[in-house]
Amino acid sequence: MGGGRLRRALPGGKGTGPVSQVQKDWSSQARAWAHLRYRAVDVELSTTPRGELRIITGAEPIDAALAGAFEQGTGNGLLHLGTALLGAELSASLAFGRALAQAYFTRLGAVADDDTTAPLPACAPEAAVLEALAAAVPPMSGGEYVTSAVLAAAWAALHAAMSVRLAGEGGTLQAWFERHAPPYNTLGKIVFHLAEHKADPARPFAFMASWATGIGSGARVQHVPLQRAVESAQDDRRTLLRMLRPLATAAQRSPWTRTLVDSRAVYQPRAWAADEAFALLREVPSLRAAGISVRMPPGWAHGRPPRVRVGARVGSRAGRSAGGALGFDALLDFDVALALDGEPLAPDEAKALLAGAAGLRLFRGRWVEVDPERLGETLARYESVRSLAAEDGLSFAEALRLLATAPGDDDVGDGGTEPWALASPGPWLADVLERLRTPEGRADSDPGAALHAELRPYQRAGVGWLWTLWTIGAGGCLADDMGLGKTVQVIALMVLVARQPGEGARQHLVVAPASVLDNWAAELRRFAPSLRVAIVHRSGGTEVPVDDADVVLTTYATAMRQPELAARRWAVVVLDEAQAIKNPGAKQTRAVKQLRARMRLALTGTPVENRLADLWSVFDFAAPGLLGDAKAFAKLTKSMAETSYAPLRELCRPWILRRLKSDRRVISDLPDKTEIDVSCGLSKAQATLYRDAVESLAAELRTADGVRRRGIVLAYLVRLKQICNHPSHWLGDGAWAEADSGKLVRLRAIAEEIAARQEKVLVFTQFREACDPLAAHLAGVFGREGLVLHGDVAVRKRGALVQAFAADDGPPFFVLSLRAGGTGLNLTAASHVIHFDRWWNPAVENQATDRAYRIGQRRNVLVHRFTCRGTVEERIATMLTDKRALADDILQGGSEIPLTEMPTDALLKLVRLDVGRIGAME
């Protein structure tokens, strides 16, 4: 919506004149409300003596969502009235509330542009509008309390709610309206209408310009001819200028519009030939950019006629593969032809359409858009792909990339929403992709009694997805949130494979961190006792010989040192905590990518920890070739950063299954998780040491560069974090007096409350040397010993620690180093998680938190994240907020916080002690 758009005519009103007519319009509206039907059992709007808008519900509210919206506040309730119920039949009181919301959106359109994004600009109501509304209050409970001031407060609440909604959903204001209330995108605008005029073959189109005055019944936008709207505003020059400014802007940008205005043809209905209609079609982008709405004939999707396009179809038949399974290297058929709505055209039809100039053609009884030049160029590109496919074959991975990033997409920039080419899957490939995208209900993926577990619905769907991958011989990434049971879903797949007849590899290999080997062995014994298990690791002996095992468990380090594992052919190779291979150049990453299997499966709750390169490395194992090589992937994602990641998301979507605990459709019986940032003061000793460290860092940076500079920066960052924990942590004197650390003071306060409630807590630190002092401190608070887990604790002892903590009368606290205890452990006995120091990686922190917040947890989980005020910890915590968005969306671009590469001034500003912020220790 152009910033100069006139939005004087209020919703439901009749006129388009200046504000002086508002009172008359709303008096008329009040009379209309008086005749609306009341429903005793419906929702009714009311006003409290304090001036708050609320609802009164009967036994059967017409809209439970409305009741829920008002429970979230007046602003959310009005937002729901003005959008979701825009065309609904409402009682008089609710219609009044909706009118207030419509007036707000009218004003918002006057002060915002179509491309406005969050935060929204200020949107103060005009006094005359509020006065007119206050004077037109219908009979309603508390109507006597409604004043302009009350309505102004409700207006402000609505603006706040709208700002939150737009920020949460992202995108532009125009796109938001298009999703939730399309009429607002037209209201108060000049509208160019193009309609079919079948009575005149020589001039088969009709054109008219109008002014959108308001929203009537059924959420239909009301229009008057532009000429009449201009005449009604003649006495108000300011109003007239605002009304016509978009038209003047469009005329400056477009010679076509300038001719339309100068000839005054814009003010009169016109009959047009097909080439004149096509000229308007080409001007749509510039018209909309100027703030003019354009309405096309019904049936033209997205405001454009259907296009004749180059259609490519891949995978009409099952792929050819050298082995028994399909895999990403199997070859698929590929065909190209001109098409309309996905249906190939006959050769004579295609020849006729390619002749002549670009424009609108009447084809098969309807108008279509044809551009012979672009079609020819696009067809040549696709024909070259078909030629290559005929010689060397089109691999499954190449076909999928073609579907996601089809040639011709760059031709959309002419204002259309459809490219001049469309690649679509053939029947066989479409069926495969549909089974992967909707895995629910596959009867052949039921493991039966051999699996000793009752799978949840989402887990059954996950097994169906895994089984589909197995049947086509492809791999994927199971990226369910931590605690949703990835392990049992994989075990179910192993049970399914074991009962299949035929030859071929039947052994499975699981590669996992050492800390979770015992967990895998225990869950295999529990859920699939029929499967024989071997452990290949120095800390644990094999339960059966490797050659006789159905499942072999090993670690990343062992897989790197045992070449015989790569020499075998496995059925399924599973990488647990697959973020361990995010660095493609690491030795262990290269080693596991050499493992051969019919199916490769990556398990991770964090497919992207910091960078999109993490995603590529995981997929390079699970679906080699799908994302191309590292260089091609980097080039692709760089271009997407400037446009959209939608093609990448579409490419990955069938091969990655991601469910979140926060999604109640996935799991409804998991309690809530609340995260609290705990701000701690510094003691005098801490402040002195911190300030000295910053001065020393500044001095050393004056003469350091390159690798030495990065090493200095990293060393001082660790030093500053240790000082924030406790002076003794840096000094190494072993004292750890509580009074010397703001964090220990806060830890005692929180732990005392936990102890009083007889609850349990996990305390994470990234420093192994901090574990024992923290445990000693907590033992003094709880009056009994707790548990400690760090890298020096033997793997074989960790299972006993977990069991002891799970007991009702077990230890009340568990101190864990983040590396040793941040993954693979089930610690749902705790309802509190404390991050004593921040890892500075949201994905790693979330993994640690999910030791407690996972299936089996019956209490709400409270997460406490400690930072020291005025220090580098507090500043990076702010940076983590931005970084967390990347961890939550696996297909958004981003990068690690480049601390070691920061310019010296920026780095010193980041770590400098803010004396005004550190405050007194609590």
Side-chain angles (χ1 to χ4, degrees), residues 87-128:
E89 180 186 0
L90 299 176
S91 65
S93 62
L94 289 179
F96 174 74
R98 179 173 60 189
L100 174 60
Q102 290 177 348
Y104 162 76
F105 285 121
T106 298
R107 179 61 179 163
L108 180 61
V111 300
D113 296 319
D114 281 348
D115 56 358
T116 292
T117 56
L120 287 172
C123 182
E126 294 172 310

Tab-separated table of all heavy atoms in Angstrom, residues 87-128:
chain	number	residue	atom	x	y	z
A	87	GLY	N	-15.688	-11.339	7.095
A	87	GLY	CA	-16.930	-11.477	6.344
A	87	GLY	C	-18.023	-12.212	7.091
A	87	GLY	O	-19.041	-12.570	6.496
A	88	ALA	N	-17.843	-12.433	8.390
A	88	ALA	CA	-18.818	-13.219	9.156
A	88	ALA	C	-20.008	-12.362	9.578
A	88	ALA	O	-19.907	-11.144	9.741
A	88	ALA	CB	-18.145	-13.814	10.393
A	89	GLU	N	-21.147	-13.033	9.784
A	89	GLU	CA	-22.319	-12.356	10.345
A	89	GLU	C	-22.143	-12.291	11.855
A	89	GLU	O	-21.992	-13.314	12.526
A	89	GLU	CB	-23.599	-13.132	10.007
A	89	GLU	CG	-24.856	-12.481	10.562
A	89	GLU	CD	-26.086	-13.339	10.327
A	89	GLU	OE1	-25.945	-14.423	9.731
A	89	GLU	OE2	-27.157	-12.929	10.775
A	90	LEU	N	-22.147	-11.090	12.403
A	90	LEU	CA	-21.851	-10.898	13.818
A	90	LEU	C	-22.977	-10.159	14.504
A	90	LEU	O	-23.778	-9.463	13.866
A	90	LEU	CB	-20.550	-10.101	13.982
A	90	LEU	CG	-19.275	-10.713	13.404
A	90	LEU	CD1	-18.116	-9.743	13.578
A	90	LEU	CD2	-18.949	-12.044	14.057
A	91	SER	N	-22.991	-10.285	15.819
A	91	SER	CA	-23.914	-9.479	16.614
A	91	SER	C	-23.485	-8.023	16.546
A	91	SER	O	-22.386	-7.692	16.098
A	91	SER	CB	-23.914	-9.968	18.063
A	91	SER	OG	-22.636	-9.744	18.651
A	92	ALA	N	-24.354	-7.127	17.012
A	92	ALA	CA	-24.077	-5.691	16.911
A	92	ALA	C	-22.798	-5.310	17.646
A	92	ALA	O	-21.992	-4.512	17.153
A	92	ALA	CB	-25.264	-4.902	17.459
A	93	SER	N	-22.588	-5.881	18.844
A	93	SER	CA	-21.413	-5.490	19.626
A	93	SER	C	-20.128	-5.959	18.957
A	93	SER	O	-19.143	-5.218	18.898
A	93	SER	CB	-21.515	-6.066	21.040
A	93	SER	OG	-21.529	-7.484	21.015
A	94	LEU	N	-20.134	-7.193	18.419
A	94	LEU	CA	-18.940	-7.689	17.756
A	94	LEU	C	-18.693	-6.951	16.447
A	94	LEU	O	-17.549	-6.698	16.072
A	94	LEU	CB	-19.059	-9.193	17.502
A	94	LEU	CG	-18.965	-10.088	18.727
A	94	LEU	CD1	-19.127	-11.541	18.329
A	94	LEU	CD2	-17.632	-9.892	19.437
A	95	ALA	N	-19.759	-6.594	15.742
A	95	ALA	CA	-19.602	-5.816	14.516
A	95	ALA	C	-18.967	-4.460	14.821
A	95	ALA	O	-18.173	-3.935	14.030
A	95	ALA	CB	-20.957	-5.632	13.837
A	96	PHE	N	-19.295	-3.898	15.975
A	96	PHE	CA	-18.667	-2.637	16.379
A	96	PHE	C	-17.168	-2.836	16.601
A	96	PHE	O	-16.355	-2.023	16.156
A	96	PHE	CB	-19.335	-2.121	17.650
A	96	PHE	CG	-18.676	-0.904	18.228
A	96	PHE	CD1	-18.832	0.333	17.628
A	96	PHE	CD2	-17.872	-1.005	19.364
A	96	PHE	CE1	-18.216	1.459	18.154
A	96	PHE	CE2	-17.251	0.109	19.893
A	96	PHE	CZ	-17.424	1.360	19.285
A	97	GLY	N	-16.815	-3.920	17.296
A	97	GLY	CA	-15.392	-4.195	17.500
A	97	GLY	C	-14.681	-4.420	16.189
A	97	GLY	O	-13.539	-3.973	15.995
A	98	ARG	N	-15.317	-5.107	15.260
A	98	ARG	CA	-14.703	-5.326	13.949
A	98	ARG	C	-14.537	-4.008	13.203
A	98	ARG	O	-13.538	-3.788	12.517
A	98	ARG	CB	-15.554	-6.296	13.133
A	98	ARG	CG	-14.986	-6.555	11.736
A	98	ARG	CD	-15.750	-7.645	11.021
A	98	ARG	NE	-17.160	-7.317	10.852
A	98	ARG	CZ	-18.072	-8.180	10.410
A	98	ARG	NH1	-17.723	-9.434	10.137
A	98	ARG	NH2	-19.321	-7.814	10.276
A	99	ALA	N	-15.508	-3.113	13.333
A	99	ALA	CA	-15.398	-1.812	12.669
A	99	ALA	C	-14.202	-1.026	13.206
A	99	ALA	O	-13.523	-0.320	12.456
A	99	ALA	CB	-16.686	-1.024	12.859
A	100	LEU	N	-13.962	-1.130	14.515
A	100	LEU	CA	-12.785	-0.470	15.071
A	100	LEU	C	-11.519	-1.054	14.458
A	100	LEU	O	-10.592	-0.312	14.091
A	100	LEU	CB	-12.773	-0.656	16.597
A	100	LEU	CG	-11.521	-0.145	17.329
A	100	LEU	CD1	-11.333	1.350	17.118
A	100	LEU	CD2	-11.617	-0.478	18.820
A	101	ALA	N	-11.480	-2.377	14.325
A	101	ALA	CA	-10.312	-3.006	13.720
A	101	ALA	C	-10.170	-2.583	12.267
A	101	ALA	O	-9.048	-2.312	11.791
A	101	ALA	CB	-10.418	-4.529	13.834
A	102	GLN	N	-11.274	-2.492	11.533
A	102	GLN	CA	-11.204	-2.068	10.135
A	102	GLN	C	-10.707	-0.630	10.019
A	102	GLN	O	-9.925	-0.301	9.122
A	102	GLN	CB	-12.574	-2.218	9.486
A	102	GLN	CG	-12.989	-3.663	9.279
A	102	GLN	CD	-14.381	-3.790	8.700
A	102	GLN	OE1	-15.134	-2.811	8.646
A	102	GLN	NE2	-14.736	-4.984	8.274
A	103	ALA	N	-11.151	0.212	10.927
A	103	ALA	CA	-10.665	1.597	10.914
A	103	ALA	C	-9.158	1.630	11.162
A	103	ALA	O	-8.426	2.422	10.545
A	103	ALA	CB	-11.402	2.409	11.976
A	104	TYR	N	-8.697	0.765	12.068
A	104	TYR	CA	-7.254	0.701	12.328
A	104	TYR	C	-6.501	0.271	11.073
A	104	TYR	O	-5.504	0.897	10.698
A	104	TYR	CB	-6.965	-0.267	13.467
A	104	TYR	CG	-5.517	-0.701	13.503
A	104	TYR	CD1	-4.518	0.148	13.991
A	104	TYR	CD2	-5.138	-1.941	12.995
A	104	TYR	CE1	-3.191	-0.239	13.984
A	104	TYR	CE2	-3.807	-2.330	12.993
A	104	TYR	CZ	-2.829	-1.476	13.485
A	104	TYR	OH	-1.510	-1.855	13.465
A	105	PHE	N	-6.957	-0.786	10.434
A	105	PHE	CA	-6.248	-1.270	9.249
A	105	PHE	C	-6.317	-0.260	8.107
A	105	PHE	O	-5.395	-0.154	7.294
A	105	PHE	CB	-6.817	-2.621	8.805
A	105	PHE	CG	-6.395	-3.763	9.694
A	105	PHE	CD1	-7.343	-4.541	10.342
A	105	PHE	CD2	-5.056	-4.045	9.892
A	105	PHE	CE1	-6.950	-5.586	11.166
A	105	PHE	CE2	-4.655	-5.090	10.710
A	105	PHE	CZ	-5.602	-5.863	11.346
A	106	THR	N	-7.401	0.484	8.063
A	106	THR	CA	-7.498	1.562	7.081
A	106	THR	C	-6.402	2.598	7.311
A	106	THR	O	-5.712	3.032	6.395
A	106	THR	CB	-8.869	2.238	7.177
A	106	THR	OG1	-9.877	1.292	6.877
A	106	THR	CG2	-8.971	3.408	6.222
A	107	ARG	N	-6.239	2.984	8.571
A	107	ARG	CA	-5.214	3.967	8.917
A	107	ARG	C	-3.818	3.400	8.710
A	107	ARG	O	-2.914	4.101	8.229
A	107	ARG	CB	-5.398	4.390	10.375
A	107	ARG	CG	-4.376	5.395	10.881
A	107	ARG	CD	-4.420	6.680	10.093
A	107	ARG	NE	-3.458	7.642	10.601
A	107	ARG	CZ	-3.045	8.719	9.932
A	107	ARG	NH1	-3.544	8.961	8.720
A	107	ARG	NH2	-2.180	9.545	10.451
A	108	LEU	N	-3.637	2.139	9.047
A	108	LEU	CA	-2.328	1.515	8.864
A	108	LEU	C	-1.914	1.550	7.400
A	108	LEU	O	-0.755	1.819	7.071
A	108	LEU	CB	-2.368	0.064	9.362
A	108	LEU	CG	-1.058	-0.735	9.242
A	108	LEU	CD1	0.043	-0.090	10.066
A	108	LEU	CD2	-1.287	-2.186	9.664
A	109	GLY	N	-2.879	1.305	6.521
A	109	GLY	CA	-2.573	1.366	5.102
A	109	GLY	C	-2.184	2.753	4.631
A	109	GLY	O	-1.442	2.904	3.667
A	110	ALA	N	-2.666	3.783	5.333
A	110	ALA	CA	-2.346	5.155	4.935
A	110	ALA	C	-0.937	5.567	5.346
A	110	ALA	O	-0.345	6.449	4.736
A	110	ALA	CB	-3.367	6.122	5.541
A	111	VAL	N	-0.405	4.937	6.391
A	111	VAL	CA	0.912	5.355	6.889
A	111	VAL	C	2.001	4.359	6.546
A	111	VAL	O	3.176	4.611	6.799
A	111	VAL	CB	0.875	5.554	8.422
A	111	VAL	CG1	-0.129	6.613	8.789
A	111	VAL	CG2	0.567	4.245	9.154
A	112	ALA	N	1.643	3.205	5.973
A	112	ALA	CA	2.627	2.175	5.665
A	112	ALA	C	2.628	1.909	4.164
A	112	ALA	O	1.676	2.220	3.454
A	112	ALA	CB	2.313	0.886	6.434
A	113	ASP	N	3.703	1.317	3.691
A	113	ASP	CA	3.821	0.924	2.297
A	113	ASP	C	3.579	-0.577	2.157
A	113	ASP	O	3.616	-1.328	3.134
A	113	ASP	CB	5.222	1.249	1.756
A	113	ASP	CG	5.488	2.743	1.761
A	113	ASP	OD1	4.566	3.494	1.414
A	113	ASP	OD2	6.609	3.137	2.109
A	114	ASP	N	3.380	-1.016	0.908
A	114	ASP	CA	3.177	-2.439	0.678
A	114	ASP	C	4.348	-3.274	1.175
A	114	ASP	O	4.178	-4.387	1.648
A	114	ASP	CB	2.990	-2.709	-0.815
A	114	ASP	CG	1.571	-2.371	-1.255
A	114	ASP	OD1	0.725	-2.168	-0.379
A	114	ASP	OD2	1.317	-2.311	-2.473
A	115	ASP	N	5.560	-2.737	1.045
A	115	ASP	CA	6.744	-3.511	1.417
A	115	ASP	C	7.182	-3.253	2.855
A	115	ASP	O	8.293	-3.622	3.258
A	115	ASP	CB	7.907	-3.217	0.461
A	115	ASP	CG	8.250	-1.728	0.404
A	115	ASP	OD1	7.566	-0.931	1.071
A	115	ASP	OD2	9.209	-1.366	-0.317
A	116	THR	N	6.318	-2.640	3.661
A	116	THR	CA	6.623	-2.434	5.077
A	116	THR	C	6.784	-3.772	5.776
A	116	THR	O	5.995	-4.690	5.579
A	116	THR	CB	5.499	-1.631	5.760
A	116	THR	OG1	5.498	-0.301	5.244
A	116	THR	CG2	5.707	-1.573	7.270
A	117	THR	N	7.823	-3.898	6.594
A	117	THR	CA	8.036	-5.086	7.418
A	117	THR	C	8.100	-4.640	8.874
A	117	THR	O	8.088	-3.457	9.185
A	117	THR	CB	9.337	-5.806	7.039
A	117	THR	OG1	10.436	-4.883	7.138
A	117	THR	CG2	9.275	-6.329	5.611
A	118	ALA	N	8.146	-5.627	9.783
A	118	ALA	CA	8.253	-5.288	11.202
A	118	ALA	C	9.580	-4.577	11.455
A	118	ALA	O	10.590	-4.910	10.837
A	118	ALA	CB	8.152	-6.547	12.051
A	119	PRO	N	9.636	-3.580	12.337
A	119	PRO	CA	8.527	-3.051	13.139
A	119	PRO	C	7.643	-2.109	12.327
A	119	PRO	O	8.111	-1.430	11.419
A	119	PRO	CB	9.246	-2.294	14.259
A	119	PRO	CG	10.532	-1.849	13.632
A	119	PRO	CD	10.933	-2.952	12.685
A	120	LEU	N	6.371	-2.091	12.685
A	120	LEU	CA	5.424	-1.235	11.982
A	120	LEU	C	5.653	0.226	12.351
A	120	LEU	O	6.071	0.532	13.471
A	120	LEU	CB	3.996	-1.622	12.350
A	120	LEU	CG	3.467	-2.938	11.767
A	120	LEU	CD1	2.120	-3.269	12.394
A	120	LEU	CD2	3.344	-2.845	10.254
A	121	PRO	N	5.344	1.143	11.437
A	121	PRO	CA	5.450	2.566	11.785
A	121	PRO	C	4.339	2.961	12.757
A	121	PRO	O	3.352	2.248	12.940
A	121	PRO	CB	5.270	3.251	10.426
A	121	PRO	CG	4.453	2.295	9.625
A	121	PRO	CD	4.907	0.922	10.049
A	122	ALA	N	4.513	4.120	13.389
A	122	ALA	CA	3.474	4.636	14.285
A	122	ALA	C	2.171	4.791	13.504
A	122	ALA	O	2.169	5.145	12.324
A	122	ALA	CB	3.909	5.969	14.875
A	123	CYS	N	1.055	4.514	14.175
A	123	CYS	CA	-0.239	4.507	13.482
A	123	CYS	C	-1.304	5.120	14.391
A	123	CYS	O	-2.247	4.452	14.817
A	123	CYS	CB	-0.605	3.076	13.080
A	123	CYS	SG	-2.140	2.919	12.165
A	124	ALA	N	-1.147	6.388	14.717
A	124	ALA	CA	-2.088	7.053	15.621
A	124	ALA	C	-3.422	7.283	14.915
A	124	ALA	O	-3.459	7.635	13.737
A	124	ALA	CB	-1.513	8.383	16.096
A	125	PRO	N	-4.538	7.084	15.620
A	125	PRO	CA	-5.850	7.297	14.987
A	125	PRO	C	-6.158	8.780	14.828
A	125	PRO	O	-5.687	9.613	15.608
A	125	PRO	CB	-6.815	6.634	15.969
A	125	PRO	CG	-6.124	6.748	17.303
A	125	PRO	CD	-4.649	6.627	17.020
A	126	GLU	N	-6.954	9.094	13.849
A	126	GLU	CA	-7.435	10.462	13.688
A	126	GLU	C	-8.584	10.695	14.670
A	126	GLU	O	-9.451	9.836	14.850
A	126	GLU	CB	-7.890	10.692	12.251
A	126	GLU	CG	-6.729	10.606	11.253
A	126	GLU	CD	-7.201	10.648	9.809
A	126	GLU	OE1	-8.117	9.860	9.479
A	126	GLU	OE2	-6.671	11.455	9.032
A	127	ALA	N	-8.587	11.848	15.297
A	127	ALA	CA	-9.569	12.144	16.335
A	127	ALA	C	-10.993	12.008	15.812
A	127	ALA	O	-11.880	11.481	16.509
A	127	ALA	CB	-9.331	13.546	16.882
A	128	ALA	N	-11.239	12.456	14.582
A	128	ALA	CA	-12.599	12.408	14.036
A	128	ALA	C	-13.086	10.968	13.884
A	128	ALA	O	-14.280	10.686	14.051
A	128	ALA	CB	-12.636	13.128	12.685
